[in-house]
Amino acid sequence: MSPAQFGRESAATGEWKRQGNRFVDRIRRDSSSKPGEGPDDQGRWPVEPGRYRLVVSLACPWAHRSVIVRKLLGLEDAISLAIVDPVRDDRGWRFGLDPSGRDPVLGIEFLSEAYRKTDPSYDGRVTVPAIVDTLSGLVVTNDFPQITLDLSTEWTEYHRPHAPQLIPADRAELDQLMDEIYREVNNGVYRCGFATSQEAYEAAYDVLFARLDVLEERLADRPYLLGDTLSEVDIRLFTTLVRFDAVYHGHFKCNRNKLTEFPNLWAYARRLYQLPGFGETVDFDQIKRHYYLTHDTINPNRIVPKGPDPRAWLP
């Protein structure tokens, strides 16, 4: 697959830009819809346990966030989970891990079927995570930044006892950090990997490592990015860090340093990995097979590296 199939690029500069999210309805406690109905006139769907299906790839860092948050909050019984095959082709994400090659709840072979049912004219890239309404088969949202926030704020009635408060009451610092980390780290590795000019690649590379240097310093005197408490921004950074040495360092040419060469970031990432909900949701095999087998322009021979050794993440 070409970089353009994951977003778009500027022919003039070679800079890669991520495709926007098409489906941005939200599941809200204040929806005027009744259980079993569709969205209200403001695009809000009702919170209703057992109704929605979260479709993810364990390879995808954007989807991985929602898997971690769902588990930390104890929403496994409220929102079901579908996992697609990590190796996608031109037809998009496929339910190839299910014995029948079909999602047992939605009854579809490809996530694109739900996208097209929701919008028959849709011709963009099909992305995960996506939340699908099991009653209608329609995509509620593929707005990955909002999905995890809403799991924290709109589904509180169904959180497990003593679930972590991932969003502090004062969100100013959280929102600033999430924005910086998204632009310069989470999306920054892709801007390196999918750049089509030397200038665009080097600019993205410099921004990425400048931000990692700042984060390395920030973590010198605190266990989490906001201090002593785990928050949403830690989850967002973790899903990039856990893929860094296995994929981004070599495959995306983000090779000034390995994660293991940042003492504070490496200790932080390993600490998160060993917490419930983090390491148990990481699948290095699926991560490596997705990146190395689907990016034909970057890895035309489709060789999947054997390392690094995942035991380094363990105590």
Side-chain angles (χ1 to χ4, degrees):
M1 291 188 177
S2 71
Q5 289 173 289
F6 289 84
R8 57 191 175 87
E9 58 189 82
S10 167
T13 66
E15 181 182 359
W16 180 83
K17 296 184 179 180
R18 183 166 296 279
Q19 170 188 290
N21 297 314
R22 164 63 183 84
F23 304 106
V24 294
D25 281 357
R26 294 177 62 189
I27 301 170
R28 299 287 300 270
R29 288 178 297 173
D30 59 358
S31 170
S32 60
S33 293
K34 298 181 177 64
E37 293 182 348
D40 61 20
D41 57 6
Q42 297 184 54
R44 299 176 303 190
W45 297 72
V47 168
E48 189 177 335
R51 174 170 180 174
Y52 302 103
R53 193 145 175 84
L54 174 63
V55 181
V56 304
S57 164
L58 297 182
C60 171
W62 318 105
H64 190 186
R65 298 175 176 184
S66 60
V67 176
I68 294 173
V69 172
R70 172 180 173 269
K71 194 164 190 67
L72 290 177
L73 298 179
L75 290 171
E76 295 98 322
D77 291 336
I79 304 170
S80 65
L81 185 69
I83 300 173
V84 296
D85 193 301
V87 182
R88 51 170 291 164
D89 57 22
D90 292 338
R91 296 170 296 176
W93 297 109
R94 179 172 62 94
F95 292 99
L97 301 180
D98 293 295
S100 65
R102 225 174 248 282
D103 181 77
V105 175
L106 301 174
I108 56 178
E109 294 182 72
F110 291 89
L111 180 56
S112 59
E113 295 173 53
Y115 270 59
R116 306 266 150 64
K117 183 174 184 179
T118 311
D119 179 2
S121 67
Y122 183 76
D123 62 357
R125 184 170 57 91
V126 174
T127 63
V128 288
I131 294 181
V132 181
D133 174 33
T134 62
L135 299 182
S136 63
L138 300 178
V139 177
V140 176
T141 177
N142 70 339
D143 189 4
F144 64 87
Q146 193 62 50
I147 286 173
T148 49
L149 297 176
D150 284 348
L151 292 180
S152 279
T153 59
E154 303 300 323
W155 289 83
T156 52
E157 184 179 350
Y158 303 98
H159 289 181
R160 66 174 174 84
H162 311 297
Q165 298 294 317
L166 299 175
I167 302 176
D170 182 354
R171 285 185 48 173
E173 188 177 16
L174 174 81
D175 287 337
Q176 180 181 344
L177 270 174
M178 289 194 303
D179 178 64
E180 292 168 349
I181 288 170
Y182 167 74
R183 286 185 291 103
E184 299 174 359
V185 179
N186 301 145
N187 202 49
V189 293
Y190 286 86
R191 293 180 64 240
C192 291
F194 289 148
T196 56
S197 74
Q198 188 71 33
E199 293 76 17
Y201 159 70
E202 291 189 10
Y205 175 103
D206 290 342
V207 169
L208 166 66
F209 282 100
R211 179 55 56 188
L212 289 176
D213 287 340
V214 169
L215 294 171
E216 170 74 5
E217 184 176 352
R218 183 182 185 93
L219 288 164
D221 62 354
R222 63 188 73 193
Y224 302 108
L225 289 170
L226 290 183
D228 294 328
T229 306
L230 177 73
S231 70
E232 168 84 17
V233 70
D234 294 298
I235 297 163
R236 295 189 178 198
L237 180 57
F238 173 79
T239 59
T240 295
L241 295 183
V242 79
R243 289 161 173 77
F244 202 89
D245 288 2
V247 176
Y248 303 138
H249 179 269
H251 188 58
F252 278 178
K253 306 177 185 67
C254 301
N255 61 354
R256 197 200 77 181
N257 300 82
K258 295 177 180 177
L259 174 63
T260 56
E261 295 167 346
F262 286 100
N264 298 330
L265 278 166
W266 173 229
Y268 161 82
R270 285 184 76 245
R271 186 165 59 251
L272 290 176
Y273 184 92
Q274 293 165 28
L275 292 177
F278 285 82
E280 64 197 275
T281 63
V282 175
D283 189 315
F284 284 113
D285 174 67
Q286 292 199 33
I287 289 168
K288 290 194 294 183
R289 285 194 294 122
H290 169 69
Y291 283 92
Y292 289 100
L293 295 179
T294 61
H295 300 163
D296 294 343
T297 57
I298 300 176
N299 187 34
N301 291 325
R302 305 178 85 231
I303 295 173
V304 179
K306 197 170 180 179
D309 189 340
R311 290 175 296 182
W313 289 88
L314 302 175

